[in-house]
Amino acid sequence: MTAQLIDGNALSKTLRADVAQRAAALTARGHQPGLAVVLVGENPASEVYVRNKVKACQDNGLFSVMDRFPATLAENELLAHIAKLNADPSIHGILVQLPLPAHIDSHKVIEAIAPEKDVDGFHVANAGALMTGKPLFRPCTPYGVMKMFAAHDIDLKGANAVVIGRSNIVGKPMALLLLEAGATVTICHSKTRDLAKHTRDADVIVAAVGRRNILTADMVKPGATVIDVGMNRNDEGKLCGDVDFAGVKEVAGYITPVPGGVGPMTITMLLVNTIEAAERAAQA
Ligand code: GUN
């Protein structure tokens, strides 16, 4: 192995210690930070993510509520529940786990969340603020990836960065954050004709498409930084990312593992965003 591992668990531990301290300080002033997590339906992956988010709150001194609804929940009932959470002063962050059942318009639901409680950073007001360079909340996964670059002093100024994936949750905000940091950014995705042509020239690659082995060793420039946002299962049912880790780790300069890479950072940045929301509310 030539690549240095970027350990999301270790970095999360450091960042969560700061979160716990800030949560305790807010609680001592009568403003315990609170997160509401809303889950509709029974998507098994979502159940795991949501459980981990609630546990991370409990472990670090944040108050959390988990609101579970059946897949048959009507859209207007979900909107009414969000209105209640918007008005609840004990709740500083609201997270509606995606995907939602097909009969619910997720755009409408996200737009119903008060922007100052939108700790996912998905509301158009927050997405727009990110686009124009003054974000209130940065979406948790790309924000966590930026913390990984910073922790390892990976210089993004002038770097060629390739983001594989164009989702609102990861790909698009990731590209904007890299751009803000001074990288030259290319966004590739499932329809890109010659992916390797782009990745071979990249100093930094972020893979976020949700397809195993989308990035193999022959597609990576020696010494490049490779961030794997994928969460897939291999033929044996084991968790794996989008990157062929065994091959790419022999070529890359830095690489994130799956599990133990970006996953814990996403949850850590959700805690950070919730703390920031609570600090702003306490100041108001
Ligand atoms: N589904 C997959 N990732 C996320 C996320 O970061 N936030 C929400 N709300 N749903 C998700």
Side-chain angles (χ1 to χ4, degrees):
M1 169 146 172
T2 60
Q4 197 178 322
L5 213 60
I6 303 180
D7 183 343
N9 282 324
L11 181 54
S12 281
K13 207 167 156 190
T14 312
L15 295 172
R16 287 185 198 194
D18 178 61
V19 162
Q21 219 166 50
R22 288 160 75 185
L26 281 161
T27 304
R29 292 166 50 208
H31 300 283
Q32 185 181 23
L35 175 71
V37 179
V38 180
L39 177 62
V40 185
E42 273 126 44
N43 180 317
S46 292
E47 302 232 7
V48 175
Y49 295 149
V50 159
R51 220 180 306 130
N52 289 341
K53 289 170 184 177
V54 170
K55 182 172 183 309
C57 284
Q58 288 165 349
D59 291 346
N60 293 283
L62 285 81
F63 162 71
S64 69
V65 287
M66 178 168 162
D67 300 313
R68 292 199 60 148
F69 296 99
T72 50
L73 181 77
E75 183 181 276
N76 62 355
E77 288 176 290
L78 180 56
L79 293 173
H81 183 67
I82 289 170
K84 234 171 49 191
L85 294 172
N86 283 341
D88 183 343
S90 72
I91 296 298
H92 306 97
I94 301 169
L95 180 147
V96 179
Q97 187 66 28
L98 302 174
L100 287 167
H103 68 278
I104 298 179
D105 179 348
S106 52
H107 283 281
K108 209 162 155 187
V109 171
I110 290 165
E111 297 326 308
I113 298 171
E116 68 275 13
K117 295 192 179 188
D118 169 41
V119 285
D120 263 327
F122 295 164
H123 190 287
V124 285
N126 287 319
L130 177 67
M131 167 77 97
T132 50
K134 272 232 175 282
L136 193 59
F137 298 107
R138 293 166 179 88
C140 303
T141 299
Y143 193 10
V145 172
M146 295 307 285
K147 291 282 179 193
M148 290 174 135
F149 294 136
H152 291 270
D153 288 325
I154 292 164
D155 191 10
L156 298 169
K157 256 191 220 82
N160 288 334
V162 169
V163 178
I164 316 172
R166 54 175 159 170
S167 71
N168 290 337
I169 296 178
V170 184
K172 285 187 226 170
M174 186 77 252
L176 287 171
L177 290 173
L178 285 164
L179 195 61
E180 194 185 24
T184 300
V185 184
T186 304
I187 306 177
C188 298
H189 46 80
S190 57
K191 305 282 189 295
T192 297
R193 282 205 192 108
D194 187 354
L195 180 60
K197 185 180 115 190
H198 299 282
T199 59
R200 272 192 207 115
D201 199 32
D203 305 300
V204 171
I205 304 169
V206 181
V209 271
R211 197 187 304 158
R212 270 165 62 194
N213 295 335
I214 189 109
L215 192 76
T216 49
D218 56 305
M219 300 164 73
V220 177
K221 183 165 85 173
T225 296
V226 176
I227 307 288
D228 193 347
V229 182
M231 280 276 210
N232 312 298
R233 298 262 169 205
N234 66 14
D235 293 336
E236 292 89 52
K238 252 182 69 185
L239 205 60
C240 66
D242 289 353
V243 175
D244 171 26
F245 183 83
V248 172
K249 76 178 180 2
E250 302 301 334
V251 182
Y254 286 96
I255 192 166
T256 63
V258 176
V262 174
M265 291 300 293
T266 296
I267 298 180
T268 298
M269 300 326 290
L270 172 67
L271 301 179
V272 170
N273 280 347
T274 306
I275 292 284
E276 285 177 6
E279 285 172 347
R280 280 195 284 265
Q283 259 166 25

